[in-house]
Amino acid sequence: ADGLHCPEGLLQEVSRLRQRHPHWLLTCACHSERSVALAQEEGCDAVLFSPIFPTRSHPGHPGVGVEKLKAVIKSHPSLPIYALGGVNGETIDELMETGCAGVAAIDLISLLTETTS
């Protein structure tokens, strides 16, 4: 493997992983600004911050919202932050001016594959 994506609960292990595998790309899931700060301290190459919008996989969770995403990005300008959670054809435009490094869009990709099948 050339890298590893860690769940938020394993953030504290990233520095050990980095020592063992210095050339790996290490990313982490983050669900709060505190976890993003820890991910940066631990040496993550990037984080997937989520959920931005309500999702099918987390019913009842409203998402952190675009303004929170912008604030987290502003607080961690040297860390690539990808937006995840509820990203689809209706919400993706809201992310274009946030400064996020990119998006992870399961719903959008699912929709595209459904329409091409």
Side-chain angles (χ1 to χ4, degrees):
D2 293 325
L4 182 67
H5 177 71
C6 298
E8 187 176 60
L10 293 180
L11 278 171
Q12 69 279 3
E13 300 299 321
V14 171
S15 59
R16 286 190 205 116
L17 286 166
R18 175 71 65 210
Q19 289 174 351
R20 288 183 168 169
H21 308 283
H23 302 296
W24 275 12
L25 178 66
L26 297 172
T27 64
C28 289
C30 293
H31 308 291
S32 68
E33 188 162 2
R34 182 173 176 257
S35 65
V36 173
L38 180 58
Q40 189 162 27
E41 289 170 21
E42 287 289 316
C44 285
D45 294 302
V47 301
L48 279 78
F49 188 62
S50 72
I52 306 305
F53 304 106
T55 70
R56 290 184 294 170
S57 60
H58 295 89
H61 191 295
V64 297
V66 172
E67 293 307 313
K68 182 65 174 179
L69 173 63
K70 287 180 185 178
V72 169
I73 290 167
K74 187 175 182 179
S75 296
H76 305 279
S78 63
L79 181 65
I81 298 175
Y82 291 82
L84 171 67
V87 180
N88 58 40
E90 296 174 8
T91 61
I92 195 166
D93 287 342
E94 295 180 55
L95 300 172
M96 293 298 114
E97 302 297 322
T98 62
C100 66
V103 299
I106 296 167
D107 284 347
L108 181 59
I109 293 168
S110 295
L111 177 64
L112 292 174
T113 57
E114 288 172 9
T115 59
T116 59
S117 298

